[in-house]
Amino acid sequence: MTGTVTQDVVMSGAGRYILRSLGQADVLLDGRSVVWAARSAEELLWFLHAFPEGRYRHDILSQLWGLEDNTAAANRFRVALHRLRAALEWPDAVTEQGGRYRLHPELLEASDTYRLHQALRASRQSETLREREELLRQALASADGEYLPHLQGEWVEQARAQHRAAVVEGYLTLSELHCAARECPLAAQALVKAAQSDPLIGEDHHQRLMACLSMTRDRFAAIEHYRRYRHFLASEVGDTPMHDTELLAERIKAGERVCEHLPFTPQKT
Protein backbone atom coordinates (compact mmCIF):
# COMPACT_ATOMS: atom_id res chain seq x y z
CA MET A 1 0.00 0.00 0.00
CA THR A 2 1.12 3.52 -0.67
CA GLY A 3 -0.19 6.86 0.44
CA THR A 4 0.65 10.22 1.89
CA VAL A 5 3.14 9.74 4.71
CA THR A 6 4.16 12.39 7.24
CA GLN A 7 6.84 12.36 9.92
CA ASP A 8 4.14 11.73 12.54
CA VAL A 9 3.13 8.42 11.02
CA VAL A 10 4.75 5.09 11.73
CA MET A 11 6.75 4.11 8.64
CA SER A 12 5.40 0.60 8.16
CA GLY A 13 2.61 -1.35 6.54
CA ALA A 14 0.25 0.72 8.68
CA GLY A 15 2.01 3.94 7.80
CA ARG A 16 -1.11 5.35 6.14
CA TYR A 17 -2.69 6.10 9.50
CA ILE A 18 -2.61 8.77 12.19
CA LEU A 19 -4.75 8.40 15.32
CA ARG A 20 -5.42 11.59 17.25
CA SER A 21 -7.12 10.98 20.57
CA LEU A 22 -6.05 14.01 22.63
CA GLY A 23 -8.12 17.14 22.09
CA GLN A 24 -10.25 16.64 19.00
CA ALA A 25 -10.32 12.92 18.20
CA ASP A 26 -9.69 11.99 14.59
CA VAL A 27 -8.44 9.10 12.49
CA LEU A 28 -6.56 9.99 9.33
CA LEU A 29 -6.13 7.61 6.42
CA ASP A 30 -3.76 8.87 3.74
CA GLY A 31 -4.11 12.32 5.26
CA ARG A 32 -7.92 12.37 5.15
CA SER A 33 -10.32 11.96 8.07
CA VAL A 34 -12.03 8.57 8.12
CA VAL A 35 -15.79 8.73 7.56
CA TRP A 36 -17.54 6.22 9.81
CA ALA A 37 -20.55 4.32 8.46
CA ALA A 38 -21.81 3.93 12.03
CA ARG A 39 -20.92 5.40 15.40
CA SER A 40 -20.53 1.89 16.83
CA ALA A 41 -17.52 1.25 14.56
CA GLU A 42 -15.76 4.38 15.77
CA GLU A 43 -16.62 3.58 19.39
CA LEU A 44 -15.16 0.10 18.97
CA LEU A 45 -11.93 1.53 17.57
CA TRP A 46 -11.45 3.91 20.51
CA PHE A 47 -12.44 1.28 23.07
CA LEU A 48 -9.72 -1.04 21.77
CA HIS A 49 -7.34 1.91 21.63
CA ALA A 50 -7.96 2.49 25.34
CA PHE A 51 -7.09 -1.15 26.08
CA PRO A 52 -3.98 -2.03 24.05
CA GLU A 53 -3.81 -5.45 25.71
CA GLY A 54 -7.18 -6.28 24.12
CA ARG A 55 -10.62 -7.30 25.38
CA TYR A 56 -12.91 -10.30 25.01
CA ARG A 57 -16.20 -9.86 23.18
CA HIS A 58 -18.33 -10.12 26.31
CA ASP A 59 -16.23 -7.37 27.94
CA ILE A 60 -16.62 -5.13 24.90
CA LEU A 61 -20.38 -5.63 24.80
CA SER A 62 -20.75 -5.03 28.52
CA GLN A 63 -18.29 -2.17 29.11
CA LEU A 64 -18.77 -0.30 25.84
CA TRP A 65 -22.46 -0.74 25.10
CA GLY A 66 -23.97 -2.14 28.30
CA LEU A 67 -25.17 -5.29 26.52
CA GLU A 68 -25.34 -8.94 27.50
CA ASP A 69 -23.51 -11.38 25.25
CA ASN A 70 -26.51 -12.80 23.42
CA THR A 71 -27.19 -13.43 19.74
CA ALA A 72 -28.45 -9.93 18.96
CA ALA A 73 -25.50 -8.30 20.73
CA ALA A 74 -23.03 -10.64 19.02
CA ASN A 75 -24.47 -9.63 15.64
CA ARG A 76 -24.08 -5.96 16.55
CA PHE A 77 -20.46 -6.59 17.47
CA ARG A 78 -19.74 -8.40 14.18
CA VAL A 79 -21.28 -5.57 12.16
CA ALA A 80 -19.34 -2.91 14.05
CA LEU A 81 -16.11 -4.87 13.64
CA HIS A 82 -16.71 -5.29 9.89
CA ARG A 83 -17.44 -1.57 9.48
CA LEU A 84 -14.33 -0.64 11.46
CA ARG A 85 -12.09 -2.77 9.23
CA ALA A 86 -13.81 -1.50 6.10
CA ALA A 87 -13.48 2.17 7.12
CA LEU A 88 -9.74 1.71 7.72
CA GLU A 89 -9.38 -0.36 4.54
CA TRP A 90 -7.35 -2.91 6.47
CA PRO A 91 -8.63 -6.40 7.43
CA ASP A 92 -5.93 -6.70 10.10
CA ALA A 93 -6.81 -3.39 11.77
CA VAL A 94 -8.32 -5.52 14.54
CA THR A 95 -6.86 -8.92 15.28
CA GLU A 96 -8.31 -11.77 17.32
CA GLN A 97 -6.44 -14.44 19.23
CA GLY A 98 -7.97 -16.81 21.73
CA GLY A 99 -11.16 -14.76 21.72
CA ARG A 100 -9.36 -11.51 22.64
CA TYR A 101 -9.68 -8.60 20.20
CA ARG A 102 -6.89 -6.03 19.81
CA LEU A 103 -6.02 -3.12 17.59
CA HIS A 104 -3.07 -3.95 15.38
CA PRO A 105 0.14 -2.84 17.16
CA GLU A 106 1.12 -0.58 14.27
CA LEU A 107 -2.18 1.27 14.58
CA LEU A 108 -1.50 1.82 18.28
CA GLU A 109 1.99 3.09 17.44
CA ALA A 110 0.46 5.62 15.05
CA SER A 111 -1.42 7.31 17.91
CA ASP A 112 -0.58 10.45 19.86
CA THR A 113 -0.91 8.69 23.23
CA TYR A 114 1.66 6.10 22.15
CA ARG A 115 4.15 8.87 21.33
CA LEU A 116 3.35 10.57 24.63
CA HIS A 117 4.03 7.53 26.81
CA GLN A 118 7.00 6.36 24.74
CA ALA A 119 8.71 9.75 25.09
CA LEU A 120 7.98 9.83 28.83
CA ARG A 121 9.53 6.38 29.26
CA ALA A 122 12.57 7.44 27.26
CA SER A 123 12.96 10.60 29.34
CA ARG A 124 13.04 8.55 32.56
CA GLN A 125 15.90 6.47 31.15
CA SER A 126 17.91 9.37 29.74
CA GLU A 127 21.27 10.08 31.38
CA THR A 128 21.53 13.80 30.55
CA LEU A 129 19.27 16.62 31.73
CA ARG A 130 19.05 18.30 28.32
CA GLU A 131 18.11 15.05 26.63
CA ARG A 132 15.43 14.49 29.27
CA GLU A 133 14.12 17.99 28.63
CA GLU A 134 13.98 17.46 24.86
CA LEU A 135 12.21 14.11 25.23
CA LEU A 136 9.66 15.65 27.59
CA ARG A 137 9.01 18.44 25.12
CA GLN A 138 8.44 15.86 22.40
CA ALA A 139 6.04 13.97 24.64
CA LEU A 140 4.04 17.03 25.65
CA ALA A 141 3.83 18.27 22.05
CA SER A 142 1.43 15.35 21.49
CA ALA A 143 -0.64 16.17 24.58
CA ASP A 144 -3.07 18.86 23.50
CA GLY A 145 -6.39 18.40 25.27
CA GLU A 146 -8.37 15.69 27.02
CA TYR A 147 -8.47 12.09 25.87
CA LEU A 148 -11.47 11.36 23.61
CA PRO A 149 -13.54 14.34 24.79
CA HIS A 150 -16.51 13.34 22.60
CA LEU A 151 -17.07 10.01 24.38
CA GLN A 152 -18.57 9.15 27.77
CA GLY A 153 -18.44 6.11 29.98
CA GLU A 154 -16.53 4.58 32.85
CA TRP A 155 -14.02 2.96 30.51
CA VAL A 156 -13.05 6.24 28.86
CA GLU A 157 -12.91 8.08 32.19
CA GLN A 158 -10.37 5.52 33.45
CA ALA A 159 -8.23 5.90 30.34
CA ARG A 160 -8.61 9.69 30.47
CA ALA A 161 -7.30 9.77 34.04
CA GLN A 162 -4.31 7.61 33.07
CA HIS A 163 -3.30 9.85 30.18
CA ARG A 164 -3.91 13.01 32.20
CA ALA A 165 -1.61 11.70 34.93
CA ALA A 166 1.10 11.08 32.34
CA VAL A 167 0.76 14.64 31.01
CA VAL A 168 0.94 16.09 34.52
CA GLU A 169 4.00 13.98 35.29
CA GLY A 170 5.66 15.35 32.17
CA TYR A 171 4.98 18.99 33.03
CA LEU A 172 6.05 18.58 36.67
CA THR A 173 9.29 16.89 35.68
CA LEU A 174 9.94 19.56 33.06
CA SER A 175 9.38 22.28 35.64
CA GLU A 176 11.89 20.64 37.99
CA LEU A 177 14.49 20.49 35.21
CA HIS A 178 14.00 24.18 34.41
CA CYS A 179 14.09 25.04 38.09
CA ALA A 180 17.40 23.22 38.58
CA ALA A 181 18.79 25.11 35.57
CA ARG A 182 17.56 28.44 37.05
CA GLU A 183 15.23 28.89 34.06
CA CYS A 184 12.53 30.40 36.21
CA PRO A 185 10.01 31.58 33.57
CA LEU A 186 10.06 28.16 31.88
CA ALA A 187 9.68 26.42 35.25
CA ALA A 188 6.65 28.58 36.05
CA GLN A 189 5.16 27.95 32.59
CA ALA A 190 5.43 24.16 33.01
CA LEU A 191 3.85 24.34 36.48
CA VAL A 192 0.96 26.40 35.10
CA LYS A 193 0.39 23.73 32.42
CA ALA A 194 0.41 20.99 35.07
CA ALA A 195 -2.12 22.85 37.21
CA GLN A 196 -4.35 23.48 34.19
CA SER A 197 -4.27 19.77 33.32
CA ASP A 198 -5.14 18.74 36.87
CA PRO A 199 -5.83 21.31 39.63
CA LEU A 200 -5.39 18.52 42.19
CA ILE A 201 -1.71 17.99 41.36
CA GLY A 202 -0.73 18.30 45.01
CA GLU A 203 -0.53 21.32 47.25
CA ASP A 204 3.27 21.32 47.29
CA HIS A 205 3.24 21.98 43.54
CA HIS A 206 0.84 24.89 44.01
CA GLN A 207 3.23 26.26 46.60
CA ARG A 208 6.08 25.98 44.11
CA LEU A 209 4.00 27.76 41.51
CA MET A 210 3.24 30.59 43.91
CA ALA A 211 6.96 30.98 44.58
CA CYS A 212 7.76 30.89 40.84
CA LEU A 213 5.13 33.48 40.03
CA SER A 214 6.37 35.77 42.78
CA MET A 215 9.86 35.65 41.25
CA THR A 216 9.06 35.74 37.52
CA ARG A 217 6.06 38.10 37.58
CA ASP A 218 5.20 39.73 40.87
CA ARG A 219 3.60 39.02 44.25
CA PHE A 220 0.17 39.96 42.91
CA ALA A 221 0.26 37.14 40.33
CA ALA A 222 1.29 34.70 43.05
CA ILE A 223 -1.49 35.80 45.40
CA GLU A 224 -4.04 35.69 42.58
CA HIS A 225 -3.10 32.05 41.95
CA TYR A 226 -3.43 31.33 45.67
CA ARG A 227 -6.93 32.86 45.71
CA ARG A 228 -8.02 30.86 42.68
CA TYR A 229 -6.67 27.69 44.24
CA ARG A 230 -8.43 28.45 47.54
CA HIS A 231 -11.71 29.03 45.69
CA PHE A 232 -11.28 25.77 43.76
CA LEU A 233 -10.75 23.79 46.95
CA ALA A 234 -13.80 25.36 48.59
CA SER A 235 -16.16 24.93 45.64
CA GLU A 236 -14.99 21.62 44.18
CA VAL A 237 -13.50 19.72 47.10
CA GLY A 238 -15.05 21.32 50.18
CA ASP A 239 -11.64 21.90 51.73
CA THR A 240 -9.24 24.72 52.55
CA PRO A 241 -5.52 25.19 51.81
CA MET A 242 -2.94 23.79 54.21
CA HIS A 243 -1.62 26.07 56.92
CA ASP A 244 1.79 26.04 55.20
CA THR A 245 0.21 27.38 52.03
CA GLU A 246 -1.57 30.15 53.92
CA LEU A 247 1.70 31.13 55.60
CA LEU A 248 3.45 31.16 52.23
CA ALA A 249 0.80 33.50 50.85
CA GLU A 250 1.30 35.85 53.81
CA ARG A 251 5.07 35.85 53.28
CA ILE A 252 4.61 36.69 49.60
CA LYS A 253 2.14 39.47 50.47
CA ALA A 254 4.76 40.95 52.80
CA GLY A 255 7.24 41.05 49.93
CA GLU A 256 9.45 38.28 51.29
CA ARG A 257 11.66 36.34 48.90
CA VAL A 258 10.35 32.76 49.06
CA CYS A 259 12.36 31.03 46.33
CA GLU A 260 15.41 29.08 47.48
CA HIS A 261 17.28 30.00 44.31
CA LEU A 262 18.91 33.27 43.36
CA PRO A 263 16.45 36.02 42.43
CA PHE A 264 15.36 35.98 38.80
CA THR A 265 16.13 39.15 36.88
CA PRO A 266 14.08 39.58 33.69
CA GLN A 267 16.17 40.48 30.67
CA LYS A 268 15.46 43.86 29.08
CA THR A 269 13.88 43.83 25.66
Side-chain angles (χ1 to χ4, degrees), residues 192-266:
V192 168
K193 290 282 190 179
Q196 289 174 341
S197 299
D198 183 4
L200 293 175
I201 54 175
E203 197 147 338
D204 57 329
H205 298 302
H206 284 282
Q207 292 173 2
R208 288 182 55 220
L209 179 51
M210 289 165 60
C212 282
L213 292 174
S214 72
M215 301 297 290
T216 60
R217 299 184 191 177
D218 52 43
R219 59 180 178 169
F220 302 105
I223 295 305
E224 178 60 27
H225 176 77
Y226 167 72
R227 288 171 177 164
R228 287 197 301 268
Y229 177 60
R230 185 177 62 187
H231 175 75
F232 170 81
L233 286 180
S235 60
E236 300 295 330
V237 185
D239 202 353
T240 58
M242 295 169 56
H243 184 57
D244 287 349
T245 308
E246 295 173 346
L247 290 178
L248 178 63
E250 292 301 322
R251 291 171 60 196
I252 293 173
K253 283 182 185 179
E256 185 178 341
R257 174 179 170 271
V258 295
C259 180
E260 63 182 14
H261 295 148
L262 295 174
F264 168 71
T265 303

Side-chain angles (χ1 to χ4, degrees), residues 64-196:
L64 179 57
W65 294 313
L67 300 175
E68 295 183 2
D69 192 0
N70 53 35
T71 301
N75 287 335
R76 174 175 176 172
F77 171 77
R78 282 193 292 270
V79 171
L81 180 60
H82 171 76
R83 287 173 171 170
L84 188 164
R85 288 167 168 161
L88 296 184
E89 301 177 8
W90 193 19
D92 290 332
V94 177
T95 62
E96 182 271 329
Q97 185 175 11
R100 184 185 291 266
Y101 293 85
R102 296 181 177 90
L103 276 189
H104 194 285
E106 293 178 352
L107 268 181
L108 293 170
E109 292 170 13
S111 71
D112 48 7
T113 53
Y114 177 86
R115 293 192 296 275
L116 167 67
H117 291 279
Q118 185 181 49
L120 286 174
R121 285 192 295 269
S123 73
R124 298 186 196 107
Q125 299 167 359
S126 175
E127 297 181 355
T128 68
L129 295 180
R130 285 305 176 189
E131 185 179 23
R132 287 193 72 194
E133 177 185 333
E134 181 56 31
L135 287 167
L136 285 170
R137 289 189 179 281
Q138 292 177 18
L140 296 170
S142 301
D144 185 17
E146 283 280 23
Y147 180 70
L148 302 179
H150 67 304
L151 295 178
Q152 301 295 326
E154 183 178 348
W155 67 271
V156 76
E157 288 293 342
Q158 293 175 351
R160 194 171 288 152
Q162 174 190 1
H163 298 310
R164 186 187 301 121
V167 170
V168 170
E169 176 199 337
Y171 280 123
L172 292 178
T173 304
L174 190 59
S175 75
E176 291 171 359
L177 293 176
H178 286 311
C179 191
R182 307 299 193 267
E183 297 168 343
C184 301
L186 294 176
Q189 184 181 57
L191 277 172
V192 168
K193 290 282 190 179
Q196 289 174 341

Side-chain angles (χ1 to χ4, degrees), residues 32-47:
R32 299 184 301 274
S33 293
V34 168
V35 177
W36 299 99
R39 181 178 174 84
S40 59
E42 182 192 7
E43 290 174 339
L44 179 58
L45 170 88
W46 291 125
F47 182 85

